[in-house]
Amino acid sequence: MPTGAGTLLAVHVRSNHVHMIVEAETQPERIMNEFKSYASRELNQLTSERPDRKRWARHGSTRWLWKDEDVRHALQYVIDQQGEPMALFVADEL
């Protein structure tokens, strides 16, 4: 996760998409774009694919979660409703 982007609460990596919940003082779109950039740089170093390979959709779904209840629902969705876990991270303090 890029430095200064926020606190990662949960992430569930699937074969063709990623769900993540981040607590931050910035717009969700910026978090998503920073994540895509950081992940692309790391993937470029790990693979022999062309660096300009298209990995991401043009945008993605971003939402503000204003209430604790909204965060709890999002966490439950990301952690429990994506099928069998493939690669899952949940912050310890949850």
Side-chain angles (χ1 to χ4, degrees):
M1 177 113 216
T3 304
T7 301
L8 183 63
L9 300 180
V11 63
H12 197 148
V13 179
R14 305 301 295 169
S15 63
N16 63 349
H17 65 284
V18 176
H19 292 274
M20 52 191 261
I21 301 171
V22 177
E23 181 180 1
E25 296 285 332
T26 189
Q27 296 180 348
E29 292 79 9
R30 181 170 179 192
I31 299 295
M32 180 183 59
N33 289 335
E34 287 186 17
F35 175 80
K36 287 179 178 181
S37 295
Y38 180 84
S40 292
R41 283 191 299 274
E42 292 298 312
L43 288 167
N44 287 342
Q45 291 180 5
L46 293 171
T47 67
S48 59
E49 297 173 334
R50 294 183 6 236
D52 62 345
R53 178 189 184 278
K54 181 174 167 55
R55 289 191 169 93
W56 311 107
R58 184 166 184 261
H59 192 274
S61 175
T62 56
R63 296 186 322 177
W64 291 90
L65 303 173
W66 295 107
K67 301 175 186 170
D68 288 343
E69 180 180 355
D70 296 336
V71 174
R72 282 193 301 276
H73 282 120
L75 286 166
Q76 197 261 338
Y77 175 76
V78 168
I79 296 167
D80 298 325
Q81 295 182 359
Q82 297 304 307
E84 190 67 30
M86 295 181 77
L88 178 64
F89 166 84
V90 181
D92 290 336
E93 62 266 1
L94 295 179

